[in-house]
Amino acid sequence: MAEPVADIAGGAQAAKDLFSGAVGGIAQVLIGQPFDIVKVRLQTTTAYPSALAAASSIYKTEGPRAFYKGTLTPLLGIGACVSIQFGAFHAARRHLEARNAGRPLGYGQYYAAGAFAGVANSIISGPIEHVRIRLQTQPHGAAARLYDGPWDCVRKLCAQGGGGVRGLYRGEAVTVLREAQAYGLWFMSFEWMMNADAARNGVPRSEIASWKVAAYGGLAGEALWLGSYPFDVVKSKMQTDGFGPAQRYKTMRDCFAQTFRAEGMRGFWKGIGPTLLRAMPVSAGTFAVVEMTMRAIN
């Protein structure tokens, strides 16, 4: 009779993981969207000499609302993405803990659980980010606008990609690589800092102060981007590329090669400044909200 009870308990915990992740995802979008549009503009054009110049130009020519261009798609989707990230990570973690038979997880196992979460997340993060990037980089003004919102963008990407969802999933291979590396590092870094604090101070994890949770989450965000940023640059280039005769990059490998030939190694780090500035508050807010939500519902 123990198995059904265990299944119910496991299902309830999985639901809590998913719900906490969704709440954290909403916080992530609201905090990070202005930084993200500056990052994407720097990655995909040479029009701006710096992040400050990009932000100033966006503000002057498009107005303050432009910093939340394309927000509807991530607001609907990133909540689901972060929900999947935390749900998949904790499911993988519990599986590994069961296999360890009481031994604590190694940090390679935390990385593997995070990478699994990233790959699971990439199924929906790829098209969501593709639509967001297209909306963020389209010309300003009603006359020059390419898409009349997220659903029009989805429809046109599917049509331009030859029908079906192939156009929507452009750049998916590099998205999978980025997500696996990024979230492997993200969760591993956060768990290491949380476990070290609990051991150093002799307290259970649930008693670690919320400001520390936020600080460790912010530092984990820095590790995420420093370890995966070149993949993100290639993804952005592929997801702003044209279709048909206007397509510059045939494959992920071709995009890496062209970027290196044209810009050298520096080309893979364009926009890293605003990305790291964004990572600290966004990741801090995400982990703090998820952790506090989990403590509240438990």
Side-chain angles (χ1 to χ4, degrees), residues 250-271:
K250 303 305 178 186
T251 62
M252 172 182 69
R253 183 177 177 180
D254 180 46
C255 188
F256 270 106
Q258 287 197 46
T259 301
F260 182 75
R261 283 197 300 269
E263 306 173 63
M265 288 303 297
R266 290 181 64 184
F268 295 107
W269 297 96
K270 284 177 68 176

Side-chain angles (χ1 to χ4, degrees), residues 15-265:
K16 291 177 181 179
D17 294 337
L18 292 168
F19 176 75
S20 300
V23 176
I26 292 169
Q28 183 179 115
V29 173
L30 295 177
I31 296 168
Q33 186 73 356
F35 295 94
D36 192 69
I37 190 169
V38 173
K39 179 201 78 167
V40 170
R41 296 284 181 93
L42 288 170
Q43 287 178 338
T44 58
T45 180
T46 57
Y48 310 109
S50 67
L52 183 60
S56 297
S57 176
I58 292 167
Y59 182 82
K60 289 176 183 176
T61 60
E62 303 174 47
R65 291 179 63 187
F67 289 102
Y68 281 90
K69 257 187 176 180
T71 301
L72 178 60
T73 304
L75 198 59
L76 294 174
I78 298 300
C81 286
V82 180
S83 178
I84 290 171
Q85 290 162 17
F86 279 87
F89 171 75
H90 287 297
R93 177 184 57 77
R94 285 191 288 270
H95 172 73
L96 292 170
E97 285 172 343
R99 290 189 61 181
N100 278 13
R103 297 189 308 275
L105 292 186
Y107 289 101
Q109 290 177 302
Y110 280 122
Y111 176 88
F116 170 76
V119 173
N121 172 62
S122 67
I123 297 169
I124 61 171
S125 69
I128 287 169
E129 291 193 16
H130 190 185
V131 171
R132 175 170 65 174
I133 285 172
R134 294 284 179 181
L135 293 172
Q136 286 175 335
T137 57
Q138 70 174 332
H140 180 60
R145 192 167 56 198
L146 300 174
Y147 311 107
D148 293 325
W151 300 117
D152 182 56
C153 184
V154 169
R155 181 179 60 81
K156 288 178 177 175
L157 290 175
C158 289
Q160 290 169 329
V165 296
R166 184 176 178 181
L168 191 60
Y169 273 89
R170 174 178 284 183
E172 185 65 12
V174 74
T175 299
V176 171
L177 291 175
R178 186 201 68 171
E179 300 287 77
Q181 170 72 346
Y183 291 106
L185 291 171
W186 198 47
F187 282 109
M188 181 186 74
S189 302
F190 181 74
E191 293 297 324
W192 176 75
M193 286 182 278
M194 290 288 286
N195 290 344
D197 187 291
R200 184 170 59 249
N201 295 299
V203 297
R205 178 183 173 127
S206 61
E207 292 183 13
I208 295 175
S210 57
W211 70 266
K212 288 186 177 182
V213 175
Y216 299 150
L219 292 171
E222 302 295 292
L224 179 157
W225 284 110
L226 287 171
S228 64
Y229 196 76
F231 292 118
D232 190 69
V233 170
V234 170
K235 183 188 77 69
S236 293
K237 285 177 177 284
M238 294 186 72
Q239 291 183 337
T240 53
D241 197 10
F243 289 90
Q247 184 173 341
R248 291 180 58 195
Y249 309 112
K250 303 305 178 186
T251 62
M252 172 182 69
R253 183 177 177 180
D254 180 46
C255 188
F256 270 106
Q258 287 197 46
T259 301
F260 182 75
R261 283 197 300 269
E263 306 173 63
M265 288 303 297

